[in-house]
Amino acid sequence: MEKIKNKFLILPIIVLVISLSTLIFSKYTSPKPSYKAYTSFKDELKLKKISTVYITDSNKIKFMLTNGQVYETDNPGTNNFKETLLSSNIKVLDQYPLNNIEKFSLIGLLVSIVCIIATYLRSSKIKTKKSFSVDAIDAKAIENPDFTFKNMAGNEEAKESVQDIVDFLINPEKYKSYGARIPKGVILYGEPGTGKTLLAKAIAGEAGVPFYAVSGSDFIQIYVGVGASRIRQLFKKARNNKKKKSIIFIDEIDAIGKKRESGAASSSDERDQTLNALLTEISGFNEDDGIVVIAATNRLDTLDPALLRPGRFDRHIEISLPDISAREKIIKLHLKNKPVGNINIKDWAQKTSYFSGAKIESLINEAAIIACKENNTTIEDKHMDKAFSITLAGYEKKNRDYIKNTDKNITAYHEMGHAITSLKMLPNEKVSKVTIIPSTKGAGGYTLSIPEDRLYQNKDYLTKKMMVLLGGRAAEHIVFGPEFITTGAHNDLKRCTNIAYNMISRYGMGKTLGLLNMEELSQLNINQDNVIKECKNLVDDIYERTKKLILENMDFLEVKAKKLIEKETLFEEDLI
Ligand code: ADP
Ligand code: ZN
């Protein structure tokens, strides 16, 4: 926009400057008519040799003789001067005529000023139009038949549940002959980075139809009505494309479709209008229009139920975090087309539990960057290791000198306390790394254990998990004495308290409440003292058990803690 504006302005500005300087120049340089005394003017008048007189406001007048010569003389300033001249048949003008150069300059000046004003007005009009316009929403149809389900690893169930949509888009007659209705709207829900956008794009690619991607937040504007008209414009665009079929993908649908809050005073008109426009559009098109709207959200339960009714977004597909075999596939997919050396993919699939696809992608990208920085020809396990620490704990601090030896000691025993309880109590959870190198995330060190993939956590597991969390403080207590325990356990204690409270107040695993749920009871305003007392007893009891466990393994703790101080980082194989 700026460029075009500049281009349109350059010419008028040049003309403006030239005409202005010509005008000024000619005013000072054009030959002045020679002066004649007023008496000789009168003589000429008598001789009827004067054709025109120019009377201006100045104290000089100009006159032209019948032979065309122009002279200047004094203005007599008398009242009947003009009348006298007129009655002797002489033309009287109140302006001395401009010469041709001056005329052109003046025209140039006027035209260029008009041009500049016009350009300015137009650009400001475009600007205001832009913020109101539906065109500002950038929903270009993308067609990329090369982008298919192959670009998405794992998520097999999700792919299966959208296979019929792909079939329908390819061959709608088949479905019509069965009288089958294909969903107009599909909601993909799940954690960020699990591949919702990827799946929507792949459906379009598989079916070979255009893909329109927008985000819910694009529709929420300050001006009421803009969102709604943008929605209509988007569907119009989709309907008018030459293929007739398309996928419309609306990311972050929550921005328009969030549940209305119960104190409805805060409800926003703009969002309601936008949501209504969307619902109207969806109800408005026929199945055989071949438009499928796919929306994505992190949480299904926050959406307005109006969106989820039959005939609207009536198919809900969960895109979950990848399990171990899916992670293996995702890792393989992202390592493809990269120079891969010695990387134990199975191992990495295990280490990355609870990683989303996007996080795995960024881990591998980080490893590639590290390998490149080290000028290694291939990406190796060691690069993955570094990348892993970076993604999990922020950058390892380069300068370790400032860490005092006492701090190192405390951290080493604390972390080994976690490691030992984890190794003994939860042998299925691998302790893949113990380190005393602080990270920018602020931890003095950390122990990385990889939880098993499991759906439920039982009481036994939760208790053991609490022991692992308390293991750090327990080791400090035993090794340095009760007077020298540190603040390092702050976060561990927070997490431990959370588990204890949840066990007793929510999961029905305590005595005080039994199977009752605290949240439900809280409306009755009962006092929580007993619950807190039980939480305390539980944690105290678990703490004692943890200390006992550590005391039984003191030799192991001493040996490994010394090794940790020496090497700063220990891996799985160092802990056997
Ligand atoms: P979402 O829309 O769920 O937030 P995206 O689809 O935008 O997530 O995923 C972000 C990136 O993460 C993708 O571009 C891709 O590189 C990677 N990714 C996520 N899930 C997968 C998967 N299942 N297979 C391969 N790559 C994935
Ligand atoms: Zn700790």
Side-chain angles (χ1 to χ4, degrees), residues 219 226-235 256 274 277-278 281:
F219 294 101
V226 176
S229 82
R230 281 185 178 178
I231 291 268
R232 288 191 286 271
Q233 192 74 14
L234 171 66
F235 278 82
I256 357 179
T274 310
L278 177 63
E281 287 296 335

Side-chain angles (χ1 to χ4, degrees), residues 151-155 190-199 249 251 296 298 330 333-334 356-359 361:
N151 297 68
M152 186 184 191
N155 283 307
E191 304 261 328
T194 42
K196 297 181 287 293
T197 314
L198 221 52
L199 181 64
F249 177 67
D251 204 358
N298 294 343
I330 297 174
L333 183 77
H334 287 287
S356 67
K359 212 165 159 191
E361 195 270 337

Side-chain angles (χ1 to χ4, degrees), residues 207-247:
V209 301
F211 180 74
Y212 295 90
V214 293
S215 170
S217 51
D218 295 343
F219 294 101
I220 299 307
Q221 296 290 320
I222 328 152
Y223 307 107
V224 173
V226 176
S229 82
R230 281 185 178 178
I231 291 268
R232 288 191 286 271
Q233 192 74 14
L234 171 66
F235 278 82
K236 202 168 142 200
K237 238 188 201 173
R239 261 195 296 266
N240 290 344
N241 85 65
K242 55 184 184 303
K243 282 223 167 154
K244 288 286 171 210
K245 304 172 193 168
S246 58
I247 299 275

Side-chain angles (χ1 to χ4, degrees), residues 414-415 418 469 472 488-489 492:
H414 177 105
E415 295 304 329
H418 286 306
L469 286 169
D492 301 334

Side-chain angles (χ1 to χ4, degrees), residues 416 419 423 431-434 556 559-561 563-564 567-576:
M416 276 317 298
L423 287 170
V431 177
S432 62
K433 184 178 182 181
V434 184
F556 186 77
V559 173
K560 297 297 175 189
K563 199 166 172 196
L564 180 59
K567 290 180 69 179
E568 295 195 333
T569 303
L570 295 182
F571 294 97
E572 200 181 333
E573 58 272 17
D574 304 316
L575 292 168
I576 304 162

Side-chain angles (χ1 to χ4, degrees), residues 163-366:
Q163 188 59 53
D164 57 345
I165 296 176
V166 174
D167 284 348
F168 167 81
L169 287 168
I170 295 174
N171 189 2
E173 278 69 35
K174 186 174 128 199
Y175 283 82
K176 247 189 274 169
S177 70
Y178 283 86
R181 186 181 67 79
I182 209 74
K184 294 171 172 181
V186 178
I187 289 197
L188 306 177
Y189 65 98
E191 304 261 328
T194 42
K196 297 181 287 293
T197 314
L198 221 52
L199 181 64
K201 231 193 224 170
I203 296 173
E206 290 274 340
V209 301
F211 180 74
Y212 295 90
V214 293
S215 170
S217 51
D218 295 343
F219 294 101
I220 299 307
Q221 296 290 320
I222 328 152
Y223 307 107
V224 173
V226 176
S229 82
R230 281 185 178 178
I231 291 268
R232 288 191 286 271
Q233 192 74 14
L234 171 66
F235 278 82
K236 202 168 142 200
K237 238 188 201 173
R239 261 195 296 266
N240 290 344
N241 85 65
K242 55 184 184 303
K243 282 223 167 154
K244 288 286 171 210
K245 304 172 193 168
S246 58
I247 299 275
I248 294 178
F249 177 67
I250 307 177
D251 204 358
E252 296 172 47
I253 184 85
D254 343 22
I256 357 179
K258 219 182 189 132
K259 229 179 236 169
R260 276 159 253 223
E261 270 131 45
S262 39
S266 64
S267 111
S268 125
D269 264 2
E270 167 62 357
R271 202 166 57 202
D272 288 355
Q273 281 195 21
T274 310
L275 178 59
N276 286 337
L278 177 63
L279 295 177
T280 317
E281 287 296 335
I282 292 180
S283 327
F285 62 73
N286 292 324
E287 281 88 55
D288 39 272
D289 271 355
I291 299 176
V292 176
V293 187
I294 300 178
T297 177
N298 294 343
R299 290 183 54 191
L300 195 60
D301 56 327
T302 57
L303 293 184
D304 193 318
L307 264 175
L308 307 177
R309 276 189 210 126
R312 293 163 176 178
F313 289 96
D314 47 8
R315 187 179 290 188
H316 312 148
I317 299 171
E318 179 171 13
I319 313 290
S320 49
L321 286 172
D323 62 9
I324 181 157
S325 75
R327 290 201 300 271
E328 193 180 325
K329 288 178 198 155
I330 297 174
I331 294 171
K332 277 187 188 148
L333 183 77
H334 287 287
L335 282 177
K336 222 166 59 182
N337 307 326
K338 287 194 176 76
V340 179
N342 221 344
I343 292 183
N344 187 340
I345 292 177
K346 279 211 166 11
D347 200 29
W348 283 108
Q350 194 159 48
K351 281 186 194 167
T352 46
S353 42
Y354 302 127
F355 270 46
S356 67
K359 212 165 159 191
I360 293 177
E361 195 270 337
S362 106
L363 167 74
I364 290 172
N365 185 48
E366 199 75 52

Side-chain angles (χ1 to χ4, degrees), residues 510-529:
K511 291 196 193 77
T512 315
L513 292 174
L515 295 173
L516 296 178
N517 179 300
M518 193 77 201
E519 280 162 79
E520 298 304 318
L521 291 178
S522 62
Q523 288 157 10
L524 303 177
N525 221 352
I526 61 161
N527 102 36
Q528 295 202 12
D529 285 357

Side-chain angles (χ1 to χ4, degrees), residues 454-497:
R454 51 161 104 200
L455 200 50
Y456 299 113
Q457 295 173 326
N458 60 28
K459 189 176 167 184
D460 179 59
Y461 174 82
L462 290 174
T463 314
K464 288 174 175 166
K465 189 85 203 161
M466 287 166 74
M467 287 183 74
V468 175
L469 286 169
L470 294 174
R473 164 58 66 85
E476 287 181 37
H477 190 145
I478 292 166
V479 176
F480 302 105
E483 298 304 316
F484 298 97
I485 51 177
T486 71
T487 52
H490 164 84
N491 198 36
D492 301 334
L493 298 181
K494 213 171 140 182
R495 288 170 64 194
C496 182
T497 307

